[in-house]
Amino acid sequence: EWRRRDNQHSFEELKIGVQAAIDAGELPRLPAEALAVLLSGAMNEGALYVATAANPARALRDAQTSIEAMLEALRARARGG
């Protein structure tokens, strides 16, 4: 059910954004759909992590910091780093 709703409401937008970032050189030349699936999974798991955490505020900060680090690593790869 979660995947169906995600696909219905937000996945296409994420995929379009990922493709735009690839085209702009901000993300490495990887298959946009596969990368969007993996990013969506990371964000969905992050949301579940925050929702079930004993300290949601800290979990949210940790999840945000972690996803930002993942995206920065992808950006660095796109720039040849």
Side-chain angles (χ1 to χ4, degrees):
E1 178 64 17
W2 177 297
R3 182 174 292 232
R4 183 186 67 76
R5 287 180 184 239
D6 191 42
N7 283 337
Q8 182 180 16
H9 297 289
S10 62
F11 180 73
E12 192 62 30
E13 296 296 323
L14 176 61
K15 188 169 71 170
I16 289 167
V18 166
Q19 186 62 61
I22 291 169
D23 293 344
E26 290 295 318
L27 289 176
R29 294 235 167 251
L30 296 169
E33 185 166 359
L35 185 54
V37 165
L38 294 172
L39 290 173
S40 178
M43 290 184 289
N44 288 339
E45 287 299 317
L48 291 172
Y49 170 71
V50 172
T52 60
N55 184 338
R58 187 176 72 197
L60 177 59
R61 284 191 306 273
D62 291 348
Q64 287 174 325
T65 300
S66 297
I67 196 77
E68 287 169 4
M70 291 170 55
L71 290 170
E72 186 52 43
L74 286 167
R75 280 189 214 104
R77 182 174 173 186
R79 296 178 192 130

